[in-house]
Amino acid sequence: MSSFIKGKKLWCLITSDAVKLVRETTETIAKYEERFDWDNNNHQIITWCCYTSYVSIHLQFSRFNTAKKIWDFLNT
């Protein structure tokens, strides 16, 4: 899984090097989306983790809201 995520250039979400950005009040939605598509990438990784794990494991993912937290859970 780690090789796949690294291959998609999304490993920074697992390591917390990329943080969820907050839209500034003066920023347009289009400009914000250009800067970083954090939420979509985060959920893409969560989906991959769900589809590559046993049901009994991925049912526990609902308590986590970031790929990083799921990765840490799987790591333990």
Side-chain angles (χ1 to χ4, degrees):
M1 178 61 84
S2 61
S3 293
F4 181 78
I5 295 170
K6 288 175 183 178
K8 295 292 187 178
K9 299 178 183 173
L10 296 173
W11 189 248
C12 59
L13 279 101
I14 297 296
T15 61
S16 293
D17 290 338
V19 294
K20 185 174 182 179
L21 299 178
V22 177
R23 182 176 162 217
E24 297 173 16
T25 54
T26 59
E27 187 175 35
T28 66
I29 292 174
K31 186 64 177 173
Y32 172 72
E33 289 174 349
E34 280 178 22
R35 277 199 303 137
F36 194 66
D37 201 4
W38 186 92
D39 198 46
N40 287 338
N41 292 334
N42 181 62
H43 287 287
Q44 186 174 23
I45 294 172
I46 291 171
T47 301
W48 293 332
C49 289
C50 286
Y51 286 127
T52 58
S53 64
Y54 291 108
V55 174
S56 59
I57 294 172
H58 82 248
L59 286 175
Q60 299 179 54
F61 293 171
S62 62
R63 61 185 164 161
F64 305 111
N65 59 359
T66 66
K68 167 70 171 141
K69 290 178 182 176
I70 288 175
W71 189 266
D72 290 344
F73 168 75
L74 291 172
N75 196 30
T76 58

